[in-house]
Structure formats: structure tokens, C-alpha cells
Amino acid sequence: MTDMVKLAISDIKTTEVLNWEGLHLFHFMGSSCSQKTRIAFAAKGVEWESHHVDISKFENFTKWFMGINPRGLMPTLVHDGDVHIESNDIIEYVDGAFDGPKLFPTDPDEQAFMRESMKYEDDLHLCVRALTFRYFLPVEMMKKPDDAVDVYEAEGAETVAGEFDGRKAIEVEFWRKMNANNGIIDEQVIDAVDQFLVAFGKLEKRLEQHEYLLASGMTALDIAWWITVFRITKLGFPTERFPKLFIWYGKFLAREDFAREVAAPSEVMEMSKRHQAAYAAEGTSMQQLMAVHGR
Ligand SMILES: N[C@@H](CCC(=O)N[C@@H](CS)C(=O)NCC(=O)O)C(=O)O
């Protein structure tokens, strides 16, 4: 349906994976894009081998990992020696390659809408990240020291599908800005919030017409957007302003196959609550900032 991102052999520097058989997913527990992929794989009913990469320890910046993903991002899929990157593309690839419930529509109009909406969701990822890095845990626990970013920036000749890829530079800029400001600043929060107010308004309109984002039923589009809605709602975004979306969100949250993949250890959730409470005490929770800026 889209131009799915499969790496060219020349992009793959960690050549041992070329001989791997079966379905291997490189993922991180707390990564929203990984969670999305895991939920989709469960819905599809595929078996996969887990390779957990701890991005909090910068394991995604190693030469080995950058050799299968020049962007240094989670998730990454190896299937019978082929390497696929980008969560939405990975899901689409697996949907086409395996039997099981179809996660992508067959109707051409729905396909066109879904392509556009999946891209929209993906384009908002740095906004999800900004809110996560501000409100999930204290900056000292979240930030990437400059020397880790230096390693990331220096590693590897960066090609994707045989062509120079500019994605890493965008990532590096994000981390450098965060370090320069010692965290995510209010302006970034408001920018992200504004994007989600618009996006959620669009989702609300769809859900006024049908139970799922597409008329034909649940698809990977619901999974992809749900992960975003889940993440930012937990960080304090007022999703309840969008009543149909809030019901849709709650319906998936009640499902074991969704809840399981986004679960975090209780001590982490406690830490996150304390961190958000500290912002609230100084008047800078997400909703307090929104109120100050008239959102
Ligand atoms: N568009 C990419 C985004 C991937 C992405 O940014 N993944 C995050 C985790 S959700 C990551 O790997 N971050 C690297 C880091 O924090 O060092 C996708 O959908 O796969």
C-alpha cells in the first residue's frame, strides 16, 4: 500500500542477519512504536523472536544495531534475512506476508485514507516524544548525554534503500536541543498540544460516523493512533474533550492484548505520577500550560 521501507543489502552493515531465519523483532518495552508493532503482531497471530534493545542504555546507538537500522530507531524487523524499519511499514509488511486477520483494508478509498492517516500519525512522532520526555520521568533519567549523541551522530554511513537518509540528523537535532535546554521547554509542549488538538479533532469526526477509524472495522490504523492517544493521555492530555475518541480509547484500553503491551512496572508508574505531580505543584502540568496559553 505504501512504499514500505525495506533496507537494501548495501545499507546493512551487520551482515550476520542476512542469514537469519524466521521473524525477529528488535524492540524496547517502553517505546510507543514498538508497542504498536507488538499489538499488531498479536492481532495478526504471528510468532516472533524477541530482541530487546534498551534505549535508556543507548543500546540502539551501537555499531551492531546501527548496522541494521541506520536511523538507530526502534522497532526493527528481520524476516528471513530481510531488514524492515519504520513501525507502520513493518506492520503492513507482516500483514501482507502472513495469514491471519487482515489489518489493512481492501477497499481502495479506505486504503487511500489509511495511507494518508498513517503518515500523519507517523509525522507526529516527535510531538509524542516531546511530551513523553517532558512528562514521563525527570529529565535526568530521560536525557541522552552529549557523548551518547556524539556516538550516534558519528556512527555509520547512513543509507536507507540505497540512498542517503537525512533522518538521523533530525533525531540528533532533537537530542541536542533537549540537552541545550536541559529538557523539553514549554513552547515545545504547546506546539505538540496544538498538533494533537487538531489531530484528535479529525479522529473524533471519523468516530462520529463509525465505531472504528475505518467504516469496514478495526485495522492497523486504530492500533497506530491508539498508541498515540494512550501515551499522551497518560501524560495529562485532556482526551476527554473528544467524547467519541475517549470511548474508543477506553474500549481498547480494556482489552488485555492492548493493555499488556503498554504496561510499565508499577515503580516506574509511581515515579511518573510523582514527576507529573511536581509539575502540577509548580503550575506547569500539561493542562495548566494549556490553560495559561488559552488552549
Ligand atoms: N517513524 C519511526 C519512529 C521510530 C522511533 O522514533 N522510535 C523511538 C522509540 S518510540 C526510538 O527508537 N527512539 C530512540 C531513542 O530514544 O534513542 C517508526 O515509526 O518506527
Side-chain angles (χ1 to χ4, degrees), residues 31-33 55 60 73-75 86-87 122 125 129 144 175:
S31 130
S32 59
C33 302
I55 63 180
N60 51 323
L73 298 174
M74 247 19 83
E86 291 297 326
S87 57
D122 184 52
H125 186 67
R129 190 186 292 166
K144 302 199 190 278
W175 303 124

Side-chain angles (χ1 to χ4, degrees), residues 17-18 34 37 46 55 106 123 161 184 230 236 243 289 292:
V17 303
L18 299 174
S34 301
T37 318
V46 294
I55 63 180
T106 48
D123 286 345
I184 302 295
F230 170 81
L289 280 185
V292 168

Side-chain angles (χ1 to χ4, degrees), residues 36 39-40 43 91 103 218-227 258:
K36 190 202 282 180
I39 291 172
I91 296 169
L103 301 179
M218 183 194 147
T219 61
L221 190 61
D222 295 288
I223 299 173
W225 278 109
W226 186 81
I227 283 294
F258 278 60

Side-chain angles (χ1 to χ4, degrees), residues 126 129-130 170-178 184:
L126 288 185
R129 190 186 292 166
I170 296 170
E171 300 288 323
V172 166
E173 191 192 341
F174 181 94
W175 303 124
R176 296 262 188 240
K177 180 173 176 183
M178 181 165 163
I184 302 295

